[in-house]
Amino acid sequence: MLAAAALIGLLATPPLRAWLEADMRLHMLVQFPLLVVAGMLAATGMAPRWRALLARWNRHGITGLLCAALVGMFWMLPKALDDAVAWPWLDAAKYLSLSLGVGVALAVSWRPAGLIGRGLFLGNLLPMLAVVGWLYLVAPVRLCNAYLPDQQAATGSLLVAAGVAGALLWLASFFLPRGS
């Protein structure tokens, strides 16, 4: 829990936050994943009582994975990125939703979801990354007012690469020997 609080606190410091949010690539591909990691770290220190309470609402990890997917989709929207940069309250909501709604949700749902649930989640997430990246790449207009068109195109390329790389890693995992 302490590591999660330290990471979120570090990411929230004005100089680091301003630097990460000044470039669309850093905003989406560094800050977002670090907030998710902070939430996953927080989940490791979660009291058993809270885990049991969440488990009642998260049978087979379905609710948590659905929450993570919906929150993740929201933060891929250009309007959400623009508003998070412009409105402090939405920036705070970004911190909470990505750490709790994605990070904690993934941490408590991944194992219970089993192979099929994880496959459905990744089978949705990875193509979605690639498609959003492609849209950022080919859009004839600037989609995010807070970022320049070259940042939008670079972010699009990186999102496509992340989706493809993630799919290849996931596929490769089926051919790697499993630990005992």
Side-chain angles (χ1 to χ4, degrees):
M1 281 289 212
L2 207 51
L7 181 55
I8 290 174
L10 178 68
L11 291 170
T13 59
L16 185 57
R17 195 181 90 234
W19 179 68
L20 289 170
E21 292 176 2
D23 187 304
M24 190 176 183
R25 293 166 293 201
L26 295 175
H27 195 180
M28 289 188 80
L29 297 162
V30 176
Q31 187 186 50
F32 285 14
L34 287 175
L35 289 170
V36 171
V37 166
M40 294 172 96
L41 287 171
T44 62
M46 190 182 301
R49 181 174 143 228
W50 284 101
R51 280 191 176 272
L53 182 66
L54 284 176
R56 288 193 344 219
W57 293 92
N58 192 27
R59 199 166 276 241
H60 305 294
I62 294 168
T63 308
L65 292 182
L66 178 62
C67 177
L70 292 173
V71 171
M73 277 192 276
F74 174 79
W75 287 111
M76 286 187 199
L77 296 172
K79 178 75 171 137
L81 289 176
D82 277 344
D83 288 350
V85 172
W87 301 99
W89 67 269
L90 194 59
D91 197 43
K94 175 185 68 182
Y95 275 70
L96 283 172
S97 64
L98 287 172
S99 59
L100 299 177
V102 178
V104 170
L106 283 176
V108 300
S109 303
W110 197 252
R111 281 191 187 269
L115 186 63
I116 302 297
R118 291 189 298 256
L120 287 170
F121 179 78
L122 290 173
N124 254 324
L125 173 74
L126 298 171
M128 183 173 47
L129 281 175
V131 167
V132 168
W134 176 76
L135 290 172
Y136 280 139
L137 262 173
V138 301
V141 294
R142 190 166 133 183
L143 298 176
C144 288
N145 292 327
Y147 300 107
L148 299 173
D150 64 325
Q151 289 180 355
Q152 178 177 298
T155 303
S157 296
L158 290 171
L159 285 170
V160 169
V164 171
L168 292 173
L169 287 171
W170 179 36
L171 181 62
S173 75
F174 289 106
F175 297 101
L176 298 174
R178 302 264 187 239
S180 48

